[in-house]
Amino acid sequence: MGRFVKQRISGSRRNEKVLVSSKYTRSSYTIENLFKTASCRFLLQSGAFFRILKSTTAALRISPAVLHLRIPIKEQERMPQTPSLVVMFDSGTFNRSLYQSKEESCSDLYYQDNNLLSGSLEALIQHLVPSVDYYPDRTYIFTFLLSSRLFIHPFELMAKVCHVCVEQQRLNEPGSDKTHMKKIAPKILQLLTEWTETFPYDFRDERMMRNLKDTAHRITHGDEMYRKNVQQIMQNLIRKLASLSQYEELIAKINAQSADRMAILKCKPQSIQRDIMSICSDPYTLAQQLTHVELERLSYIGPEEFVQAFVQKDPLDRNESCFSDRKKPRNLEAYVEWFNRLSYLVATEICMPVKKKHRARMIEFFIDVARECFNIGNFNSLMAIISGMNMSPVSRLKKTWAKVKTAKFDILEHQMDPSSNFYNYRTALRGAAQRSLTAHSNREKIVIPFCSLLIKDIYFLNEGCTSRLPNGHVNFEKFWELAKQVSEFTAWKQVECPFEKDRKILHYVLTAPIFSEDGLYLASYENESPENHIEKDRWKTLRSAILGRV
């Protein structure tokens, strides 16, 4: 994970500036729920989860891609650009010359070997605000805007930034120097652009919008060019927020259409049920459609959701209402729910057929779909399919598996083997990430990580290192590592799916009724009889509870 983690693991406590470890005693309501889902059952069943739990070195070490954040400014007014995020994050260090603040002697920012390690929250906020001769580096902007929400609400941060701008740049003075304004206005506008482009969901809060409009009004007063730039910022932001609202409505509608398949079992014979192969018999086509779902849902996850999922009350924050008002990571949770749905859909499709040969054919079909997902770079769907086939109701169908050619499945399981902290998967992911960086087409750019493992990596990074140092400083080196991981995800989710949509397949995948866990066990026992007394007792209980039979 980096130098600071190695220092922490070795137990070095000689310098209080070194990151301080924290035991895994805290818990997050969100992550607890996520870890109970099917997406982590594969880890739990393998025993690897508990080995991973003891390690804080699970973070990915892959080069983050560049965030393209720009604002239309006259050529002569453009700021000199520092190296891109991929170069900056790859360097693994903060260079003071890139992060040099307006006041060189700021005592509340702590550096070591020219690396920014920590600082007071107020000093870090000051460091974010541009001036005539200073603009914060893009990686600092991304890192601070991402992590600051652990300590302060985004709307409060925006208010502080506005206040600093007004006080330092004299924006509230009617006769302020126009030459001075011409120099500072483009930089403030660029900061607002980067904020609205990278963290647009912050502005669903009316308080954020008010602060944004207030700052923009002070900058654009009497200047038509700046007014047009602000108008463009607002239009892009409103468009993104409207798209998010439409997406959330669509997800709610899809969820309402999905129902447990047990209701159908009661009134219709299994032989006339539709299955996935009647809708799509080509594994490659289905893998493409799964990739459509993945990229669409990924695109709506805000980078800040990875931080908000694990937010803990800041010990220096006494405002209880402020803490309870924090946003839940709904889009991230919806994405994990999609993983669970796909896993249960795979298990349902396998357990539904009455005939053994049909079940075997369905298993082989999904093995081929999983292989195509791997070739595309869709590791999340790949793991969901493997997880579905490893569910106990499916894995216990020994007579069915005896008819399956499992060589290809064994290869896929090897690629996603959880041993050595998913070493094989991480190697494949690193290869896909490198391919994406040099890609010439959207097809080669596709990288869809195994989401639950990414969440776990970020969770342990957050839990394994303290956010506040003993002197009250914000532990900025920790958030540098956090930003390295999240920025790469941000690049991956921006890829447009190159495959043609098949709405009939998508509708089936998203809305086809699926069995609950009890329903899967019942279907499994109906197809291949229980083998012991425990299974027989459970079978009788399920038949009575679900089908009303004894």
Side-chain angles (χ1 to χ4, degrees):
M1 188 183 296
R3 167 177 57 80
F4 70 96
V5 172
K6 294 176 183 176
Q7 289 176 332
R8 178 169 49 75
I9 292 175
S10 67
S12 172
R13 296 181 182 272
R14 289 189 297 270
N15 187 343
E16 72 171 10
K17 300 297 184 181
V18 175
L19 293 179
V20 181
S21 66
S22 63
K23 296 181 181 178
Y24 303 126
T25 55
R26 294 175 295 173
S27 62
S28 163
Y29 74 92
T30 304
I31 202 64
E32 286 177 346
N33 292 337
L34 296 183
F35 281 172
K36 290 177 183 176
T37 61
S39 59
C40 284
R41 286 195 180 127
F42 189 61
L43 309 184
L44 293 168
Q45 290 169 356
S46 68
F49 179 82
F50 298 100
R51 292 195 298 274
I52 295 170
L53 188 62
K54 297 176 183 177
S55 171
T56 58
T57 59
L60 300 178
R61 298 168 181 257
I62 308 166
S63 307
V66 182
L67 295 176
H68 302 288
L69 305 171
R70 295 173 183 165
I71 182 172
I73 305 175
K74 287 183 178 180
E75 193 63 32
Q76 64 270 23
E77 294 176 338
R78 290 188 182 276
M79 283 68 70
Q81 290 297 300
T82 52
S84 63
L85 283 177
V86 63
V87 175
M88 293 298 298
F89 279 125
D90 268 350
S91 69
T93 180
F94 284 112
N95 187 301
R96 191 174 186 180
S97 65
L98 294 176
Y99 290 90
Q100 192 169 352
S101 116
K102 284 89 63 174
E103 294 86 10
E104 179 65 27
S105 60
C106 180
S107 59
D108 285 338
L109 291 179
Y110 177 74
Y111 294 87
Q112 191 174 67
D113 299 329
N114 290 329
N115 301 326
L116 177 58
L117 298 184
S118 67
S120 68
L121 184 60
E122 291 301 322
L124 293 171
I125 293 174
Q126 289 273 350
H127 206 50
L128 179 69
V129 180
S131 65
V132 172
D133 56 357
Y134 165 79
Y135 188 78
D137 189 79
R138 296 169 65 209
T139 52
Y140 179 81
I141 295 173
F142 180 79
T143 302
F144 186 68
L145 292 182
L146 176 69
S147 58
S148 61
R149 63 198 68 238
L150 288 172
F151 310 102
I152 183 173
H153 263 296
F155 85 87
E156 293 174 320
L157 176 61
M158 173 67 81
K160 285 180 177 290
V161 169
C162 294
H163 177 74
V164 174
C165 285
V166 169
E167 291 300 313
Q168 289 187 355
Q169 311 308 328
R170 304 186 303 278
L171 299 181
N172 57 340
E173 297 178 10
S176 56
D177 185 7
K178 289 187 177 181
T179 304
H180 176 84
M181 179 65 75
K182 264 194 168 183
K183 292 179 180 178
I184 188 60
K187 296 181 180 181
I188 297 176
L189 285 175
Q190 180 161 337
L191 178 63
L192 296 178
T193 299
E194 296 204 27
W195 197 333
T196 57
E197 286 288 329
T198 314
F199 301 97
Y201 301 165
D202 286 349
F203 295 87
R204 297 186 94 176
D205 189 329
E206 273 299 319
R207 295 167 294 189
M208 283 289 288
M209 291 297 285
R210 283 198 300 269
N211 288 332
L212 175 62
K213 290 175 181 177
D214 179 60
T215 306
H217 174 72
R218 293 176 184 273
I219 295 171
T220 60
H221 186 67
D223 194 301
E224 182 65 18
M225 183 187 70
Y226 296 147
R227 190 188 66 78
K228 288 182 178 178
N229 287 341
V230 168
Q231 189 177 34
Q232 186 65 46
I233 292 173
M234 297 298 293
Q235 287 176 351
N236 292 339
L237 178 59
I238 292 171
R239 192 181 305 117
K240 285 192 175 187
L241 296 181
S243 177
L244 174 63
S245 296
Q246 292 173 1
Y247 166 75
E248 290 175 341
E249 291 174 4
L250 176 63
I251 294 299
K253 184 177 180 181
I254 289 173
N255 291 340
Q257 292 177 5
S258 301
D260 192 276
R261 204 163 190 165
M262 291 279 66
I264 302 176
L265 245 186
K266 292 180 181 179
C267 59
K268 288 187 178 181
Q270 290 177 325
S271 58
I272 63 171
Q273 304 285 316
R274 280 197 311 173
D275 60 34
I276 186 68
M277 292 183 68
S278 68
I279 305 297
C280 176
S281 59
D282 178 30
Y284 183 55
T285 301
L286 181 56
Q288 290 179 331
Q289 300 310 303
L290 293 178
T291 302
H292 261 294
V293 178
E294 297 279 355
L295 288 175
E296 180 184 44
R297 299 208 173 193
L298 274 181
S299 68
Y300 286 99
I301 298 175
E304 71 281 358
E305 293 193 44
F306 288 100
V307 173
Q308 289 169 180
F310 314 124
V311 67
Q312 301 286 339
K313 180 166 171 52
D314 183 4
L316 299 183
D317 183 5
R318 298 180 181 179
N319 189 345
E320 292 289 343
S321 62
C322 171
F323 174 70
S324 62
D325 191 36
R326 296 189 191 275
K327 302 292 184 184
K328 292 184 178 181
R330 290 180 180 152
N331 297 313
L332 183 58
E333 290 179 348
Y335 188 56
V336 173
E337 288 170 5
W338 152 250
F339 180 102
N340 296 330
R341 172 177 172 77
L342 181 55
S343 295
Y344 273 88
L345 178 64
V346 169
T348 299
E349 295 289 337
I350 293 172
C351 290
M352 272 298 295
V354 177
K355 294 185 178 180
K356 184 167 44 182
K357 65 178 181 180
H358 292 163
R359 294 194 298 274
R361 186 177 65 178
M362 188 66 72
I363 290 175
E364 291 180 340
F365 174 73
F366 277 116
I367 290 173
D368 289 336
V369 174
R371 183 182 60 178
E372 296 298 344
C373 287
F374 180 84
N375 292 336
I376 289 172
N378 182 356
F379 297 105
N380 200 56
S381 290
L382 165 63
M383 183 56 92
I385 293 171
I386 292 177
S387 177
M389 289 194 285
N390 275 290
M391 286 185 181
S392 295
V394 177
S395 62
R396 67 169 297 277
L397 299 172
K398 296 178 181 177
K399 295 177 183 178
T400 302
W401 281 97
K403 289 186 168 292
V404 176
K405 298 176 182 177
T406 59
K408 290 184 287 187
F409 184 62
D410 293 339
I411 294 173
L412 291 174
E413 280 201 310
H414 175 72
Q415 288 292 339
M416 306 303 287
D417 181 6
S419 63
S420 300
N421 195 15
F422 285 87
Y423 175 80
N424 293 339
Y425 158 71
R426 293 182 190 277
T427 301
L429 181 66
R430 189 158 51 245
Q434 292 298 332
R435 178 195 66 188
S436 178
L437 289 174
T438 59
H440 299 291
S441 66
N442 281 341
R443 169 66 183 81
E444 296 173 321
K445 290 180 181 178
I446 296 174
V447 182
I448 304 174
F450 174 29
C451 186
S452 292
L453 188 59
L454 176 60
I455 293 172
K456 179 196 70 65
D457 286 341
I458 296 174
Y459 173 71
F460 286 147
L461 171 60
N462 182 60
E463 290 293 291
C465 307
T466 184
S467 296
R468 290 271 194 183
L469 298 179
N471 63 358
H473 274 199
V474 172
N475 187 352
F476 204 73
E477 193 177 13
K478 165 186 173 176
F479 297 121
W480 164 255
E481 291 292 332
L482 178 65
K484 283 171 66 176
Q485 294 190 43
V486 177
S487 65
E488 184 170 43
F489 167 84
T490 302
W492 292 340
K493 80 187 189 78
Q494 292 173 350
V495 175
E496 293 185 13
C497 189
F499 308 122
E500 186 177 349
K501 274 189 177 181
D502 188 312
R503 300 196 178 278
K504 187 177 181 181
I505 298 174
L506 288 172
H507 184 266
Y508 183 89
V509 167
L510 292 171
T511 64
I514 56 175
F515 284 143
S516 63
E517 187 172 4
D518 285 343
L520 287 173
Y521 270 109
L522 177 59
S524 180
Y525 293 145
E526 294 283 338
N527 287 325
E528 294 190 20
S529 301
E531 296 182 343
N532 53 54
H533 290 296
I534 295 176
E535 287 190 346
K536 287 180 181 178
D537 290 343
R538 185 170 190 179
W539 183 31
K540 290 178 182 178
T541 301
L542 291 174
R543 284 172 65 88
S544 176
I546 297 176
L547 300 181
R549 302 176 189 170
V550 179

